[in-house]
Amino acid sequence: VFHAPGQLKVEDEGKGTKSLPMIKRKAIGNLILAANVAMTVLIGGTAQAQQSPRAVTIGSNPAGTVFYAVASAFGKVVSESTSFQMTVQPYTGTSTFLPLLNSGEIDFGVNNAVDMALSYQGPERLKIGGRNPYAHTPNARLVMRGAPLLVGLLVRKDSPLKSVHDVKGKRVTGEYPAQLAVWYNLCGHLAAAGLTWADVKVVPVPAANEGVDALLQGRADVTMHALNSAKVREADSTVGVRHLSTDCSPLGEQRLGRAVPGYYTRLMKPGSALAIVEDTCVIAYDIYLSTHKTAPDQVVAGSLKAIWDNLEKLSPVHPIFKEWTRDRAVAPDATMPYHPAAVQYYKDQKVWSANMDEAQKKLLALNP
């Protein structure tokens, strides 16, 4: 407690109260001021460190997959364009890291629209193909809708099979517990032909890469993988493979849409992709760059800006980026709500409409 000018009353243990001269009072005051400044700097520095991390992680499927190529490309441009490093963390499949994305243990993820519809809404609200084994991820948020992922049935080049209608009774890779999206992919292919899992002999595998291994090892007749993936390139150089056409007829598309909402077909011409040797119908669905709702605004906005500004540089990295365009980034049919920082960024870019506000509101209402 300060008393008369020029003196400071302090308690001296065992000796009562005594006065200190003005110079000592100023010295103590300066110490107190310095301590306060140091504390302010410390608190400010801590807050700034929390807001601007030195590193963030992006989850993906394993090396050899399209999602890994996408995550690696994002990691490069974000690390080069922001104050933080984006590191790719591969998992056996997106099913594996979705709970980590929901909790914020990883910062970003490369996912797909169908997976996120199932996980964001949860098994109590949405089922596709009569099932939804995904963990509920109500905290997941969208940063950017990207290119369509193209997935096709895969057989050895010398296989006698000509289309999906020929797979009945054949050995087809299935189950995919670590990469549930592939189970839905194959479910869609079968459904387009009017088939179900009961019509084939299921060869259990954990994920897509292991499915290709089963094909190469002769344990399966048919598997599935993304077009232009490194794993397909590896298989083609090893034994020779080709994609098998699904059913692109109006009836086939109708059956596909009923089986897995969000899927659509794409007809590929010979040479338009690796292992496409004739007119081949494949399944398409949208790729998402995802995050969680507590991700710092500046991290989300900084990452999004880095990608937005460098899309032209990504096209040579992988064929998938040819369709990863700015006009696809925002879509009212998104299956999860956008992160607030992404919303603001798109508003600043004049690409966020009133329709998007309404879609966002509906999606957020699913997990209030």
Side-chain angles (χ1 to χ4, degrees):
V1 179
F2 284 98
H3 290 274
Q7 288 189 331
L8 174 66
K9 298 289 186 177
V10 296
E11 293 295 328
D12 187 8
E13 185 177 357
K15 298 182 181 180
T17 302
K18 66 179 182 178
S19 299
L20 293 179
M22 172 69 80
I23 189 168
K24 290 187 177 181
R25 180 174 72 86
K26 287 183 177 180
I28 293 174
N30 288 339
L31 286 173
I32 294 172
L33 178 61
N36 287 336
V37 170
M39 184 63 71
T40 301
V41 170
L42 179 61
I43 293 172
T46 301
Q48 186 176 9
Q50 290 173 343
Q51 294 173 358
S52 301
R54 298 177 67 179
V56 297
T57 52
I58 179 169
S60 80
N61 290 339
T65 64
V66 170
F67 282 11
Y68 183 86
V70 169
S72 298
F74 287 166
K76 186 174 188 299
V77 297
V78 171
S79 297
E80 291 175 349
S81 305
T82 67
S83 61
F84 48 87
Q85 296 291 304
M86 178 178 280
T87 304
V88 181
Q89 180 62 57
Y91 294 86
T92 309
T94 51
S95 319
T96 311
F97 72 74
L98 275 174
L100 303 178
L101 182 70
N102 186 67
S103 66
E105 292 180 58
I106 60 174
D107 304 285
F108 296 94
V110 180
N111 306 96
N112 73 73
V114 176
D115 278 10
M116 299 316 297
L118 288 159
S119 63
Y120 178 71
Q121 294 195 39
E124 298 301 318
R125 186 179 282 117
L126 178 64
K127 287 183 173 64
I128 296 177
R131 66 186 299 222
N132 181 355
Y134 288 86
H136 191 200
T137 59
N139 299 327
R141 294 294 183 269
L142 183 56
V143 178
M144 188 178 201
R145 185 185 77 146
L149 178 67
L150 305 179
V151 294
L153 297 171
L154 196 69
V155 297
R156 285 174 174 255
K157 189 169 285 187
D158 59 0
S159 170
L161 306 182
K162 301 299 182 185
S163 77
V164 65
H165 293 280
D166 299 327
V167 307
K168 186 173 183 178
K170 300 300 187 292
R171 299 172 300 167
V172 179
T173 54
E175 295 193 8
Y176 294 96
Q179 201 172 355
L180 294 168
V182 186
W183 185 91
Y184 286 101
N185 292 160
L186 278 160
C187 181
H189 281 294
L190 293 171
L195 302 174
T196 69
W197 286 106
D199 294 310
V200 298
K201 298 173 183 176
V202 177
V203 179
V205 294
N209 281 358
E210 289 78 7
V212 176
D213 291 338
L215 179 72
L216 299 183
Q217 295 161 6
R219 296 187 290 112
D221 303 308
V222 184
T223 189
M224 194 229 70
H225 216 277
L227 270 63
N228 289 313
S229 69
K231 190 67 175 180
V232 172
R233 189 174 302 280
E234 174 192 319
D236 192 50
S237 65
T238 303
V239 301
V241 293
R242 61 182 169 85
H243 285 294
L244 194 68
S245 186
T246 194
D247 191 335
C248 261
S249 70
L251 181 57
E253 287 210 65
Q254 185 180 45
R255 288 188 292 236
L256 173 64
R258 278 202 309 263
V260 188
Y263 282 1
Y264 49 99
T265 59
R266 175 78 65 91
L267 182 63
M268 306 295 293
K269 292 294 183 179
S272 59
L274 180 69
I276 298 289
V277 299
E278 58 186 3
D279 284 359
T280 303
C281 189
V282 299
I283 286 176
Y285 57 111
D286 296 328
I287 306 174
Y288 284 172
L289 173 61
S290 306
T291 188
H292 55 92
K293 69 178 184 181
T294 57
D297 288 354
Q298 66 275 15
V299 170
V300 174
S303 300
L304 177 54
K305 184 180 187 305
I307 295 167
W308 184 273
D309 291 346
N310 289 282
L311 282 176
E312 286 76 14
K313 296 179 182 178
L314 296 178
S315 295
V317 174
H318 193 280
I320 195 72
F321 286 112
K322 291 178 181 178
E323 292 190 69
W324 200 298
T325 57
R326 294 180 183 90
D327 60 0
R328 286 184 57 88
V330 175
D333 63 352
T335 59
M336 59 192 292
Y338 284 79
H339 188 280
V343 174
Q344 186 59 53
Y345 185 84
Y346 292 129
K347 286 182 177 179
D348 293 342
Q349 299 300 316
K350 311 299 183 186
V351 296
W352 188 273
S353 65
N355 287 341
M356 285 305 305
D357 280 328
E358 188 62 29
Q360 179 82 349
K361 181 179 178 181
K362 290 179 179 177
L363 287 166
L364 288 171
L366 294 174
N367 288 302

